[in-house]
Amino acid sequence: MFRDRRQAGEVLAQELASYRGRNDLLVLGLARGGVPVGWHVAAALKAPLDVFLVRKLGVPQWQELAMGAIATGGGVVINESLVRSLGISDEQLQAAIARETEELRRREQAYRGGRPPLDMAGRTVVLVDDGIATGASMLAAVRAVRAVADGPASVVVAVPVGPPSVCRELAAEADDVVCATMPPGFEAVGQVFDDFHQVTDDEVRELLSSPTV
């Protein structure tokens, strides 16, 4: 159990200790819940922090179930087998992509204002979230970061909690994966947090304006 996202970030930082002090390190917190975790990781590793946006593509009439995800830079991941099994039409899928793309752009502006993203070229990028369930959002983030022109030298995934099977799947896509805890009876990310409040846009902006190095 973690008290809150701060403690989760501190635990992750301990597991990432071998990266501490590297001058090529960049921590990206997935908005919104990954930003407070990522801030504490970045502060402990003495690395800069930026925000990375991923939007889940929810199944029509069941938005909590992800049929895919989109990410900053245009990365898209679709769970084709789920889309087929639920009979989701291409029109429904495209409508979800358009809706979430608009929200992604709104949040980019809200969090950064006019500031451009930090340069990833040749860096070791650590993608941090407050946990993973299906893995769709993190997979979209990994693929989007990989696809950046003059992109990172390596991609690391770091999360406090996730199901063992998904953490293994991500290991096939990222150069390194740190899942601090992998409960055999995984049900939801929030099950390992005492405080798992909804992170607000204001909290994200405040953390992004607070230096980590």
Side-chain angles (χ1 to χ4, degrees):
M1 290 295 294
F2 301 103
R3 283 192 312 274
D4 51 22
R5 290 179 176 90
R6 172 177 183 154
Q7 188 188 30
E10 292 169 347
V11 169
L12 274 182
Q14 291 171 8
E15 300 213 12
L16 293 162
S18 61
Y19 292 97
R20 188 176 187 271
R22 289 176 51 162
N23 58 14
D24 70 334
L25 203 61
L26 172 62
V27 176
L28 299 180
L30 271 61
R32 289 181 284 206
V35 175
V37 181
W39 190 94
H40 292 285
V41 169
L45 299 182
K46 300 191 179 303
L49 172 74
D50 202 356
V51 63
F52 197 80
L53 280 98
V54 178
R55 295 290 299 171
K56 180 171 63 180
L57 299 172
V59 168
Q61 281 77 54
W62 193 6
Q63 289 296 308
E64 284 306 303
L65 179 60
M67 59 180 172
I70 62 169
T72 294
V76 180
V77 173
I78 303 297
N79 184 334
E80 301 285 359
S81 61
L82 181 65
V83 168
R84 282 195 302 273
S85 67
L86 294 180
I88 295 165
S89 69
D90 187 59
E91 288 77 11
Q92 289 174 308
L93 180 59
Q94 294 304 319
I97 290 173
R99 181 176 64 251
E100 296 304 338
T101 297
E102 183 177 339
E103 178 61 13
L104 188 147
R105 288 173 179 156
R106 183 196 72 77
R107 292 195 183 195
E108 286 267 12
Q109 178 62 29
Y111 299 153
R112 281 207 188 89
R115 180 177 65 77
L118 294 180
D119 186 16
M120 299 183 204
R123 303 180 86 158
T124 296
V125 171
V126 183
L127 288 164
V128 178
D129 205 352
D130 55 8
I132 50 177
T134 66
S137 296
M138 184 58 80
L139 183 58
V142 171
R143 290 180 178 174
V145 166
R146 290 254 195 237
V148 171
D150 297 322
S154 61
V155 179
V156 178
V157 169
V159 292
V161 61
S165 59
V166 176
C167 291
R168 285 194 298 270
E169 287 169 12
L170 285 167
E173 299 266 348
D175 297 289
D176 190 9
V177 175
V178 174
C179 290
T181 182
M182 293 179 280
F186 179 89
E187 295 176 3
V189 170
Q191 78 186 68
V192 300
F193 286 88
D194 288 331
D195 173 6
F196 195 63
H197 71 275
Q198 184 81 11
V199 177
T200 66
D201 286 352
D202 286 341
E203 285 180 82
V204 172
R205 279 191 289 266
E206 183 178 349
L207 287 163
L208 291 174
S209 65
S210 303
T212 55
V213 289

